[in-house]
Amino acid sequence: MRLTILGTAAPYPRPDNPCSGYLVQQGDTSIWVDAGTGTLAELQRHVAVRDLDAIWISHAHADHTADLLTAYYALRFAGPPRARPLPLIGPPGLVERMVGFLGHRSAAVMDEVFEVTEMRGWHDAVVGKLSLSWGPLDHGMPAFGLRVQAADSVLAYSGDSAYCEGLVELAEGADLLLCEAGASQHPPTGAVHCTPEDAALLASTAGAKHLLLTHCEAPDARDRALAGFPSVELAVPGMTREF
Ligand SMILES: [Zn+2]
Ligand SMILES: [Zn+2]
């Protein structure tokens, strides 16, 4: 399996760093995971939008979805149409939000562009050579994490979430755990992100082999996570890992 980091910035893009977005590939299968602001352009360094096999969206926050709007334009108005709509797996209500931006006439043709699956609870799906599992997490809104299984490797992705049992289940034994560290410190109540220490605890508890931190708030996130888990890297745009 190959993971390419398209962007990691939170909660808004920076020069040379889009918001959250990742490309997961196995052979000729390509899945765009989270469509954060700026990631559509970076995606095209690796694969054309129309050649994707699926898009998977963790939750509806704009830093994970904004580029779906222009992906719609790419698929609907540019170049030859796909033979079939592009599978789009996302949280409930995602299409209604998109139609709100794109205009009401887009509602009538949305199913020609995207074949939408709304995530509700735990579920599995097969996309080309990759098996996906997802489950609900804790982010103060409907939010999901992802587990991707290839023939001989497993990737787990936290989306945005506070530390929770669902994360542990998704990350169990993963070869690579891509985990957000969107909080530097826990708020007094109602955490919705992991801290670097949470990410390290998750990697350790789940028995993951390697932790890739993303969407970090703290500049010293890697050092902080290394205090609790031995194999930690910081995700940066353009980084590719094969495992
Ligand atoms: Zn979020
Ligand atoms: Zn986010």
Side-chain angles (χ1 to χ4, degrees), residues 40-85:
L40 175 57
E42 292 303 312
L43 177 82
Q44 293 168 84
R45 296 185 192 277
H46 311 281
V47 61
V49 186
R50 67 187 58 261
D51 292 334
L52 288 168
D53 295 281
I55 303 174
W56 186 91
I57 300 292
S58 62
H59 66 296
H61 279 154
D63 57 325
H64 298 252
T65 61
D67 276 14
L68 279 179
L69 300 173
T70 42
Y72 168 90
Y73 288 154
L75 292 163
R76 178 144 167 71
F77 300 120
R82 284 171 52 94
R84 53 175 282 231

Side-chain angles (χ1 to χ4, degrees), residues 81-188:
R82 284 171 52 94
R84 53 175 282 231
L86 177 56
L88 170 61
I89 303 166
L94 184 61
V95 167
E96 288 76 6
R97 283 179 179 241
M98 291 172 67
V99 168
F101 277 95
L102 294 165
H104 68 277
R105 278 186 294 184
S106 67
V109 294
M110 195 60 82
D111 63 358
E112 297 172 16
V113 176
F114 294 118
E115 176 191 304
V116 177
T117 298
E118 289 195 342
M119 298 187 287
R120 299 176 190 277
W122 289 86
H123 207 76
D124 301 325
V126 174
V127 176
K129 297 181 174 69
L130 295 169
S131 297
L132 313 186
S133 309
W134 56 79
L137 302 175
D138 289 351
H139 191 50
M141 69 183 310
F144 295 80
L146 180 66
R147 181 179 176 93
V148 184
Q149 177 115 33
D152 54 3
S153 58
V154 172
L155 165 71
Y157 170 51
S158 65
D160 279 3
S161 177
Y163 188 99
C164 62
E165 279 306 308
L167 273 176
V168 177
E169 189 164 333
L170 284 166
E172 187 175 352
D175 296 282
L176 196 157
L177 168 58
L178 177 64
C179 187
E180 67 115 310
S184 183
Q185 304 295 335
H186 284 138

